Amino acid sequence: MGQHDTFDAIIAGSGHNGLTTACYLARAGLRVLVVEKNDWIGGAAVSRSLHDGWTYSNCSYVCSLLRREIIRDLELPRFGLQVIPYEGGATFTREGDYFAYYSDHDALNRELARQNPRDVDAYERFSQAVMRQCRFIRPFLLRTAPDPTSLKPRDLSELLYLVKKANDLGARELGETQRFWTMSIADFLDEHFESDLVKAHIAGGGIIGTGLGVYSPGTAYVLLHHYMGDVDGTIGAWGFARGGMGSITQALAASFESSGGTIVTGSGIDQFLTKGGKVTGVALENGDVYHASVVASNMDVRRTFINHTAESDLPSEFVTAVKRFKTRGSSGKINVSLDRFPTFPAAPDGARFLSGDMHCSTSLQELEKAYDDWKVGRWSQEPYFDMLIPTQIDPTMAPPGKHMMTVFVQYAPYDLEVDGVRSPDNWNETQRQAFATCVFDKMEQACPGIRDHILHAEVRSPYELEQEVGLTEGNIFQGELTFDQLLFNRPVPGYAQYRTPIDGMYLVGSSTHPGGGVMGAPGANAAREILRDVGKGQAMPVYTD
Amino acid sequence: MSNTTQNFDAVIIGGGHNGLTAATTLARKGHSVCVLERSSVLGGMMSVGGAEAPSFTSRLAHLLYNLNPKVERELGLRLNARNLTTVSLAPNGEHVEIDGGKARMMDGALHPKAVAFATLQTRLQRFATLLSRLSLRTPPKLSGSWTDPETFGELMGLAGIGLGLKGMGKVEMREFLRALLTNVHDLMVDDLDDGPLAGAMAADAVRGSFSGPKAPGTLFSLLYRLGNGANLRAPVGGMASAVAAFEDAAARAGCVIKRQSAVRSVLVQGDRVHGVELDDGTVIHAKAVLSSIGPQATINLAGIQHFDVEIARRAKNLRAKGTAGKLNLLLKARPEFSGLPAPLHQARLLIAPSSDYVEHAFNPVKYGSFSEAPTLEILLPNAHTPETPQTLSAVVGYMPHDPPGGWTDALRTKAERQIMAVLEAYAPGIGDRVQHSELLTPTDIQTETGAAGGHWHHGEMGIDQILNVRPINGMAHYQCGVEGLYLCGASAHPGGDINGAPGRNSALQALKDGAL
């Protein structure tokens, strides 16, 4: 071991949340080490070159949720982060038509009118309702969830803040909030729209990454994850990080290193070390040991405590609760190198919406059936996918004239069923190819002949996501976003404030409030709690809205 | 045409148990009350049908599972009912008898997960009892300022529940806050493994609703059902005798009950209700009208022009897709369920051998079709005399309310065959004993009872449609838009099942408002 084996704080995992925590701690003057099992950093916010000349955002693929307070505090643009918005999206039908979504209000109205004139007004009501919910939830993202069982002044005042915000809504809006948070995306859309195609286009946002169907209660809320972000202050906008999603974690790492932080890659955590109920450091798989009195895990709660912590260090109820935390994986990913831009016969020449998110699911029933397949351990026969070709806006990711396409697929099970046996081991190359074939078959609906232009395709099941990134069961949110796993219940009731049963050990990943997405909020909130505990609470601002 | 005019303090639309409860509650406070029932028999979902219907003593609902004990007391209901245990049937004959928190196998041995089940059941029962405190109040409006006396009272009520929560201790309180919004499948399977025991709990949670046990929020519906003590009671003499008890209570209180009196319109003048007009032209004047037929039908009777556009839109969007059907069989002799001891044929028999089975049974109904492996809740009221002719009463889940093309005869035959095939698998030879059968789909139930969508609860009991948003946001306090017009049926808080609280609460709200 070298001489630098003792730090003020160690972060296990270099995902965007881990790096966010690391940055805040380093800026507060702590000597911070980030350890990463892979040879590269970034967790699920990475850019990787797996085919010569192409760069894939091979896990997460679009950017909107990253909190602007974090971008500002950590000076990410100075360290190279640039997010370029895209302006639309589309759903293609089997009959050769499409519904196009435009961020331009007038263009969207014309398109809605083309689908169903009544849906123009419906969209106004819909977007106002969603925006009201966004405004309600946004202030809570960068605050620690109160413990409702606690009588500590801080918990009581946070609880009062919540009650006050709720009361400010008024009785009627409070009722709407209760409904919105607990209803299904299908019911919510049925209340507003008439066109199946419009409903199907929007509904996708309610199921991405979840183990729920469009008819499942609680999916309307997931939609917020689609609408509550912003790009350069434009609320609800989405964009591409120039150079792929890895540029977010690269900018975080650069920011971190400029504050004196250290990153060590290539060996993962073997064990979190403790003594007398206190954390003392980490032992890596390669035998290296680092010491610190503060250790934060960016891994999900199951991996952290079930795989890498001695069970004897933990209360048994805690272990039971962690084992019950639901992390069912439901998404797959296909990253594709294309020798040219594919043709979309339905789209008018030069259609701007082709630079956004494209889909081929045309009704709520079709989406729900995709979920039924997943429930029994199979990938969807008619999958929902979210495909984008970012190289139209960001040509840095492919050679000139060539393109990169990212395809997010819902649903794919972690424990795949083959011949009556459900197991992640069933995900062999044959199954992966069969899964990809199923997706490409459906894609023909939008861009027939796409297969002829594929130079290389990386097919990723939830199992690969688990193996490579470390997400248990490949759950992209580090734990399902159902309401029994949100706020003060996330990840475990009584441990929802980033602290754990082990003194000095923290969770900073998406397993904690407010959950998944490339948001950075869990990492920033955890940093605030850590700094408070080490007597530097004033080093971080409290954000109010 | 006899254009007679009569005067009452209150008119109740619908002679179901909630309508009768509302009527009795008002009459016992000294008001003159008239109950108007469209069909020739009372009972609504408890009804056994008119003279034209075959004689089944429990034609629709067949259990008093969730009757509010306070309602029973206040009304002085003279019920004669026997307590039942439950047997959750397994295809391999390893049935489980469930009696409260006890779970035993057929040989009397404890179920392997009996201890875990008892713990879980005790905990759920405690949560349910706490929540049930909400069911005998009007949901809080929380509209006034903090110092407004009404808001203050509401807050005190909520604070009482908060204190009850605190009283459970931190661990239980945390579990409550987690479990309240969770799904019944995960909660059961985490502790019990998936089998007939978990299946029974799952089926009980979702019976009648448009959701499978994996849907978030489904534990709440189980807690709702446990809220009144979870005593499974079957009225002796079938539901007909329970209807008679409600009618008797109403009559003793002095209510006038008119059958075959369909309301054509609710009379409104200057935003105030002043009576109803019947199909035959009879006008009945009343200061208050309490309707048990759900918001949309009530709005239609009063005339949509009297209502806020937003309210009318919400009423139209009320989630009420019925999924419970009913199969009634007349049998030559008692069917013999494989591996089920003779005395236990008198139990409530469930075919829901696992939570996954229940979830799977739900899938087709989402697309308007019907599962080949439906869930069944079966009663054999005359099982104690096996050689005599028998009735079999079975609640069937899940049947679609709106199959594409409607419930054609062919579709009914197919559905009945599917249900009989399931019964046959558990009780070989049952088909040969059938003398007569009747299948009631949610569509039939809607036609007979008027309940929106033929829905068991007159409206889905999801978290997005309970408490202060039941039946719809803006109409949650029994007041139905027009002064003097109230909702008193299962679509109102706290909700469905044979419960009585909506009827009682709405009557008390009308009195509190000084409507009578």
Side-chain angles (χ1 to χ4, degrees):
Chain A
M1 280 318 305
Q3 59 203 33
H4 299 298
D5 60 347
T6 299
F7 290 84
D8 293 331
I10 298 170
I11 316 289
S14 67
H16 65 281
N17 278 311
L19 289 171
T20 300
T21 307
C23 283
Y24 278 111
L25 298 188
R27 278 169 183 256
L30 269 58
R31 287 183 63 250
V32 184
L33 170 72
V34 172
V35 295
E36 165 58 46
K37 79 180 170 89
N38 287 322
D39 293 330
W40 59 91
I41 63 153
V46 285
S47 304
R48 296 191 65 205
S49 179
L50 300 175
H51 184 63
D52 253 359
W54 271 264
T55 307
Y56 291 159
S57 285
N58 74 339
C59 298
S60 62
Y61 52 99
V62 282
C63 180
S64 166
L65 294 171
L66 189 60
R67 305 306 304 152
R68 63 176 107 155
E69 293 87 343
I70 296 171
I71 296 177
R72 199 171 54 217
D73 289 352
L74 305 181
E75 302 171 278
L76 299 186
R78 180 157 85 84
F79 293 102
L81 177 65
Q82 190 186 355
V83 181
I84 322 162
Y86 61 81
E87 295 164 30
T91 295
F92 294 89
T93 71
R94 283 175 198 79
E95 296 75 29
D97 197 4
Y98 63 87
F99 164 68
Y101 179 88
Y102 301 97
S103 45
D104 179 86
H105 190 256
D106 291 340
L108 178 59
N109 278 356
R110 281 194 297 276
E111 174 64 5
L112 284 164
R114 188 172 77 86
Q115 302 297 333
N116 185 325
R118 281 187 290 273
D119 283 349
V120 178
D121 286 343
Y123 189 81
E124 292 297 321
R125 280 206 317 272
F126 166 84
S127 61
Q128 280 169 19
V130 172
M131 281 307 142
R132 275 197 297 269
Q133 296 305 324
C134 284
R135 273 200 294 278
F136 177 65
I137 190 183
R138 281 167 66 103
F140 295 106
L141 296 176
L142 284 174
R143 300 176 81 99
T144 297
D147 178 356
T149 69
S150 156
L151 293 172
K152 284 186 199 142
R154 189 162 160 245
D155 286 305
L156 288 177
S157 92
E158 280 293 314
L159 207 57
L160 205 65
Y161 178 79
L162 206 158
V163 171
K164 186 179 176 310
K165 281 276 173 191
N167 191 57
D168 287 349
L169 291 173
R172 181 190 174 112
E173 197 52 31
L174 190 60
E176 283 311 282
T177 302
Q178 175 188 342
R179 295 181 69 237
F180 183 82
W181 278 63
T182 59
M183 75 194 302
S184 75
I185 181 70
D187 288 325
F188 187 65
L189 293 171
D190 277 340
E191 275 191 4
H192 290 86
F193 297 102
E194 294 190 7
S195 157
D196 280 345
L197 195 54
V198 173
K199 287 188 232 177
H201 182 84
I202 301 173
I207 52 168
I208 282 186
T210 71
L212 300 169
V214 290
Y215 290 138
S216 303
T219 44
Y221 155 76
V222 180
L223 192 68
L224 284 190
H225 277 243
H226 232 69
Y227 284 85
M228 69 191 174
D230 57 86
V231 174
D232 279 345
T234 310
I235 292 178
W238 284 79
F240 299 113
R242 195 174 174 87
M245 292 298 278
S247 64
I248 294 174
T249 41
Q250 290 300 336
L252 282 165
S255 172
F256 174 56
E257 283 170 336
S258 84
S259 314
T262 311
I263 299 176
V264 174
T265 59
S267 184
I269 299 286
D270 175 45
Q271 189 85 353
F272 290 99
L273 304 174
T274 66
K275 194 170 175 184
K278 285 195 167 88
V279 76
T280 59
V282 297
L284 301 191
E285 283 163 344
N286 66 5
D288 287 358
V289 174
Y290 296 99
H291 294 287
S293 55
V294 169
V295 173
S297 172
N298 185 190
M299 297 185 275
D300 66 64
V301 65
R302 293 217 359 209
R303 178 162 292 254
T304 301
F305 290 108
I306 307 300
N307 300 9
H308 300 296
T309 308
E311 194 168 328
S312 54
D313 286 343
L314 301 166
S316 65
E317 317 85 67
F318 179 78
V319 174
T320 309
V322 170
K323 285 182 177 162
R324 284 179 181 183
F325 185 68
K326 301 293 181 280
T327 55
R328 296 180 181 112
S330 62
S331 323
K333 185 86 199 289
I334 305 179
N335 300 300
V336 187
S337 301
L338 298 169
D339 68 359
R340 52 162 288 188
F341 190 73
T343 39
F344 294 85
D349 282 343
R352 300 283 294 274
F353 60 76
L354 295 179
S355 66
D357 51 316
M358 293 178 284
H359 318 272
C360 290
S361 300
T362 55
S363 75
L364 294 173
Q365 291 213 341
E366 184 183 326
L367 289 165
E368 184 69 15
K369 278 184 180 147
Y371 168 59
D372 288 348
D373 290 333
W374 173 82
K375 277 195 294 192
V376 291
R378 291 191 280 267
W379 63 73
S380 308
Q381 295 308 297
E382 294 274 349
Y384 167 79
F385 48 76
D386 188 20
M387 64 173 180
L388 300 103
I389 307 177
T391 37
Q392 297 167 84
I393 290 179
D394 175 12
T396 64
M397 300 181 77
K402 316 281 189 211
H403 286 275
M404 186 276 273
M405 179 163 79
T406 161
V407 188
F408 175 91
V409 188
Q410 193 79 10
Y411 302 78
Y414 169 72
D415 46 349
L416 182 65
E417 188 263 354
V418 175
D419 298 330
V421 180
R422 288 183 74 157
S423 163
D425 296 334
N426 286 333
W427 276 111
N428 55 30
E429 191 51 28
T430 315
Q431 295 296 339
R432 267 197 298 277
Q433 287 311 320
F435 168 59
T437 301
C438 177
V439 173
F440 289 127
D441 282 350
K442 177 120 179 127
M443 208 179 281
E444 294 274 324
Q445 205 169 303
C447 39
I450 179 84
R451 280 190 179 85
D452 300 340
H453 304 295
I454 297 176
L455 299 172
H456 172 263
E458 181 200 19
V459 184
R460 295 157 71 80
S461 72
Y463 179 66
E464 276 81 45
L465 282 177
E466 178 186 67
Q467 294 304 304
E468 183 193 295
V469 186
L471 298 166
T472 299
E473 294 184 48
N475 185 293
I476 64 167
F477 297 135
Q478 283 200 351
E480 288 171 40
L481 296 178
T482 47
F483 26 65
D484 53 343
Q485 295 196 156
L486 289 174
L487 271 170
F488 44 76
N489 285 328
R490 190 169 185 89
V492 169
Y495 297 97
Q497 297 180 336
Y498 310 97
R499 294 172 188 83
T500 70
I502 296 171
D503 206 10
M505 188 161 158
Y506 299 82
L507 282 177
V508 304
S510 299
S511 279
T512 59
H513 169 77
V518 183
M519 197 180 327
N525 291 344
R528 189 184 312 109
E529 297 301 325
I530 293 169
L531 289 171
R532 197 185 287 263
D533 288 353
V534 299
K536 288 176 179 279
Q538 74 293 347
M540 254 185 94
V542 173
Y543 306 101
T544 49
D545 200 306
Chain B
M1 189 104 311
S2 61
N3 257 348
T4 52
T5 303
Q6 298 162 25
N7 283 298
F8 288 92
D9 290 339
V11 159
I12 314 290
I13 303 176
H17 78 281
N18 276 313
L20 291 169
T21 301
T24 311
T25 306
L26 291 174
R28 286 169 66 97
K29 304 263 183 193
H31 297 283
S32 62
V33 184
C34 176
V35 179
L36 300 171
E37 168 57 45
R38 186 183 61 164
S39 80
S40 59
V41 286
L42 296 176
M45 288 279 188
M46 293 162 67
S47 158
V48 291
E52 68 286 358
S55 58
F56 289 104
T57 51
S58 293
R59 199 155 157 264
L60 291 169
H62 59 194
L63 277 174
L64 298 171
Y65 184 7
N66 203 0
L67 182 60
N68 192 295
K70 188 153 187 188
V71 169
E72 193 176 341
R73 251 191 338 270
E74 285 180 0
L75 261 51
L77 286 180
R78 294 167 183 164
L79 285 169
N80 181 13
R82 68 190 171 94
N83 285 319
L84 302 182
T85 66
T86 296
V87 175
S88 187
L89 300 170
N92 60 3
E94 294 191 4
H95 312 318
V96 186
E97 185 186 10
I98 305 165
D99 185 5
K102 293 197 270 297
R104 294 179 183 283
M105 307 308 289
M106 290 300 98
D107 59 6
L110 285 178
H111 184 276
K113 294 281 181 181
V115 177
F117 178 67
T119 312
L120 185 62
Q121 186 72 12
T122 309
R123 172 178 281 163
L124 294 182
Q125 192 60 60
R126 189 181 314 135
F127 294 170
T129 306
L130 182 70
L131 274 180
S132 72
R133 288 201 213 168
L134 288 168
S135 65
L136 286 171
R137 309 162 175 269
T138 299
K141 282 184 191 168
L142 300 177
S143 53
S145 77
W146 299 81
T147 48
D148 173 75
E150 188 173 358
T151 309
F152 187 75
E154 287 168 350
L155 288 173
M156 286 301 101
L158 291 178
I161 289 175
L163 283 178
L165 262 176
K166 286 264 182 209
M168 288 182 187
K170 261 191 183 189
V171 174
E172 286 300 290
M173 180 177 173
R174 284 184 174 137
E175 182 55 16
F176 176 84
L177 292 172
R178 182 186 82 90
L180 189 60
L181 298 174
T182 199
N183 69 81
V184 68
H185 173 88
D186 283 338
L187 200 81
M188 294 303 142
V189 171
D190 278 345
D191 276 345
L192 304 178
D193 302 334
D194 201 6
L197 193 52
M201 302 297 279
D204 279 352
V206 298
R207 190 168 300 109
S209 57
F210 191 87
S211 58
K214 288 184 181 170
T218 38
L219 189 76
F220 175 84
S221 29
L222 184 64
L223 294 179
Y224 175 69
R225 295 220 153 113
L226 294 175
N228 288 321
N231 291 323
L232 281 170
R233 288 189 297 166
V236 175
M239 232 6 139
S241 76
V243 176
F246 275 96
E247 185 184 356
D248 165 62
R252 275 186 285 130
C255 300
V256 173
I257 299 173
K258 292 174 188 277
R259 293 172 173 78
Q260 289 178 302
S261 302
V263 174
R264 182 196 291 164
S265 61
V266 172
L267 305 173
V268 179
Q269 211 166 40
D271 274 348
R272 200 180 192 314
V273 77
H274 65 97
V276 298
E277 184 181 350
L278 303 186
D279 270 355
D280 65 6
T282 309
V283 170
I284 301 178
H285 286 297
K287 295 176 211 150
V289 173
L290 285 72
S291 164
S292 63
I293 58 173
Q296 178 148 40
T298 305
I299 287 174
N300 289 343
L301 287 182
I304 199 162
Q305 68 275 18
H306 299 293
F307 296 84
D308 180 86
V309 177
E310 188 64 13
I311 289 285
R313 189 177 71 83
R314 285 167 191 278
K316 180 171 137 280
N317 286 331
L318 176 77
R319 296 201 295 124
K321 294 181 196 161
T323 63
K326 186 76 199 295
L327 179 73
N328 296 311
L329 298 179
L330 194 60
L331 302 162
K332 278 184 272 189
R334 188 180 75 192
E336 298 303 323
F337 283 83
S338 313
L340 185 68
L344 283 178
H345 279 73
Q346 296 184 55
R348 175 179 74 133
L349 307 178
L350 293 181
I351 296 182
S354 70
S355 179
D356 266 334
Y357 177 100
V358 180
E359 181 73 26
H360 214 69
F362 171 56
N363 284 346
V365 86
K366 295 186 285 197
Y367 319 108
S369 72
F370 178 55
S371 174
E372 294 195 358
T375 62
L376 297 173
E377 181 190 62
I378 302 162
L379 290 189
L380 296 163
N382 309 318
H384 53 286
T385 54
E387 301 307 324
T388 62
Q390 303 267 321
T391 56
L392 178 148
S393 169
V395 176
V396 186
Y398 299 82
M399 301 193 89
H401 164 248
D402 51 353
W407 276 105
T408 58
D409 286 347
L411 197 59
R412 280 168 183 286
T413 311
K414 184 170 170 239
E416 199 171 325
R417 227 184 8 247
Q418 282 169 217
I419 301 167
M420 287 310 298
V422 172
L423 281 172
E424 196 70 40
Y426 286 85
I430 187 171
D432 300 334
R433 301 181 186 199
V434 176
Q435 290 180 317
H436 178 73
S437 73
E438 177 192 39
L439 180 66
L440 295 161
T441 67
T443 314
D444 300 327
I445 294 172
Q446 176 173 22
T447 311
E448 291 210 7
T449 66
H455 195 286
W456 184 296
H457 300 305
H458 293 210
E460 191 70 18
M461 299 265 305
I463 311 279
D464 59 330
Q465 224 168 251
I466 55 163
L467 271 170
N468 52 322
V469 289
R470 186 165 187 85
I472 56 174
N473 194 8
M475 208 190 261
H477 307 96
Y478 305 104
Q479 295 122 331
C480 184
V482 174
E483 221 178 302
L485 183 59
Y486 291 84
L487 292 177
C488 70
S491 69
H493 173 78
D497 290 338
I498 309 301
N499 182 293
R504 170 194 179 270
N505 295 358
S506 64
L508 295 181
Q509 184 67 43
L511 291 171
K512 189 173 163 205
D513 294 346
L516 286 92

